[in-house]
């Protein structure tokens, strides 16, 4: 069993939200929740996002640039993200442009808007409730392999790499993952948490010493 976008929309924090586009993706799996407010779309990569995330944003940096908003939506979809929840429409973003909605529909990428023109909604409410649902689901989940295959299948072909796959596994297991060949030559890795920096050469040297002994 996995949490979906449809499940998230039933939570109290999202009960007043509206699915404005991308309804065909309503059953996309959600395995994480995060806030994203990057000024440069090109800086958003698999090194930062892990796929299947419910992403929250006010798109402040591109609030007046519909072309960039559409580009962002396509980019998030290609990275295998679950959906985008927009806050403070009518306050920061003047309005939801039809082109953005059409892009969401074309991709089947859920675009969710919190009540328009209202400031009384906090990111933390959605983050807390979605994270709690994911945690409860993972305690009961017995279908790890099936879930991983589903997540990988949602990535665009160019992101179906060993690095991206290890990132998904690392995030799911909450541990650092290192892949080597049989000679212990590193091939790919993913650190947990994502900001961690491991000296894998040091670890491999220790393993090699033990192997020799």
């Amino acid at each position: 069993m996995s949490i979906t976008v449809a499940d998230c929309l039933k939570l109290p924090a999202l009960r007043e939200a509206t699915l404005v586009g991308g309804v065909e993706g309503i059953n996309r799996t959600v395995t994480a929740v995060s806030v994203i407010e990057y000024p440069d779309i090109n800086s958003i990569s698999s090194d930062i996002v892990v796929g299947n995330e419910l992403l929250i944003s006010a798109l402040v940096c591109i609030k007046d640039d519909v072309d960039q908003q559409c580009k962002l939506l396509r980019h998030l979809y290609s990275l295998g993200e679950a959906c985008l929840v927009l806050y403070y429409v009518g306050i920061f973003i003047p309005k939801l442009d039809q082109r953005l909605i059409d892009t969401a529909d074309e991709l089947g990428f859920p675009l969710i808007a919190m009540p328009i023109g209202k400031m009384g909604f906090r990111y933390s409410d959605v983050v807390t409730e979605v994270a709690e649902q994911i945690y409860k689901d993972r305690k009961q989940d017995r279908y790890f392999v099936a879930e991983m295959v589903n997540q990988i299948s949602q990535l665009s072909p160019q992101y179906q790499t060993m690095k991206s796959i290890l990132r998904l596994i690392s995030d799911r297991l909450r541990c650092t993952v290192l892949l080597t060949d049989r000679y212990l030559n590193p091939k790919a890795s993913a650190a947990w948490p994502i900001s961690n920096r491991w000296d894998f050469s040091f670890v491999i040297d220790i393993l090699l010493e033990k192997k020799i002994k």
Side-chain angles (χ1 to χ4, degrees):
M1 181 179 177
S2 296
I3 301 299
T4 66
V5 175
D7 294 327
C8 293
L9 285 170
K10 296 174 185 176
L11 296 172
L14 285 168
R15 201 165 286 158
E16 295 185 56
T18 303
L19 179 64
V20 295
V23 66
E24 289 184 4
I26 195 70
N27 291 316
R28 291 174 72 87
T29 300
V30 176
T31 60
V33 56
S34 187
V35 176
I36 187 167
E37 289 292 0
Y38 289 94
D40 179 14
I41 292 174
N42 295 322
S43 68
I44 304 172
S45 67
S46 56
D47 291 328
I48 297 173
V49 297
V50 295
N52 293 105
E53 292 174 297
L54 180 148
L55 293 174
I56 297 171
S57 182
L59 300 185
V60 175
C61 296
I62 51 175
K63 62 184 181 65
D64 298 313
D65 193 335
V66 179
D67 288 337
Q68 284 294 98
Q69 293 170 18
C70 293
K71 181 180 177 181
L72 173 64
L73 218 59
R74 292 184 183 279
H75 187 55
L76 296 177
Y77 175 78
S78 73
L79 288 170
E81 297 295 37
C83 64
L84 179 63
V85 180
L86 289 180
Y87 272 68
Y88 313 131
V89 177
I91 298 172
F92 294 121
I93 298 178
K95 67 175 184 177
L96 279 176
D97 193 281
Q98 188 60 45
R99 284 181 292 162
L100 185 62
I101 297 172
D102 290 344
T103 300
D105 287 336
E106 174 196 334
L107 299 172
F109 185 74
L111 180 64
I112 300 164
M114 297 301 282
I116 294 174
K118 295 185 177 180
M119 284 289 291
F121 292 87
R122 302 180 304 176
Y123 289 5
S124 59
D125 293 338
V126 172
V127 170
T128 300
E129 291 189 4
V130 173
E132 285 179 351
Q133 286 298 110
I134 293 168
Y135 176 72
K136 289 177 183 177
D137 180 69
R138 285 183 175 177
K139 286 182 68 175
Q140 302 173 359
D141 187 22
R142 300 178 182 177
Y143 304 101
F144 173 77
V145 174
E147 182 181 318
M148 284 296 101
V149 171
N150 180 54
Q151 289 187 53
I152 293 166
S153 69
Q154 291 188 24
L155 296 170
S156 292
Q158 68 266 33
Y159 292 107
Q160 291 179 355
T161 63
M162 188 55 64
K163 181 180 179 181
S164 296
I165 292 170
L166 290 187
R167 169 53 53 207
L168 291 173
I169 294 173
S170 174
D171 183 67
R172 178 64 175 81
L173 297 179
R174 281 173 165 70
C175 68
T176 295
V177 181
L178 171 64
L179 177 68
T180 73
D181 61 20
R182 61 177 178 171
Y183 302 109
L184 294 181
N185 295 312
K187 295 300 179 182
S189 64
W192 175 262
I194 200 169
S195 58
N196 253 358
R197 293 293 177 264
W198 279 73
D199 185 354
F200 290 117
S201 61
F202 176 74
V203 175
I204 290 172
D205 286 343
I206 293 175
L207 291 174
L208 285 171
E209 286 179 10
K210 289 184 177 181
K211 186 175 179 181
I212 293 172
K213 291 178 181 179

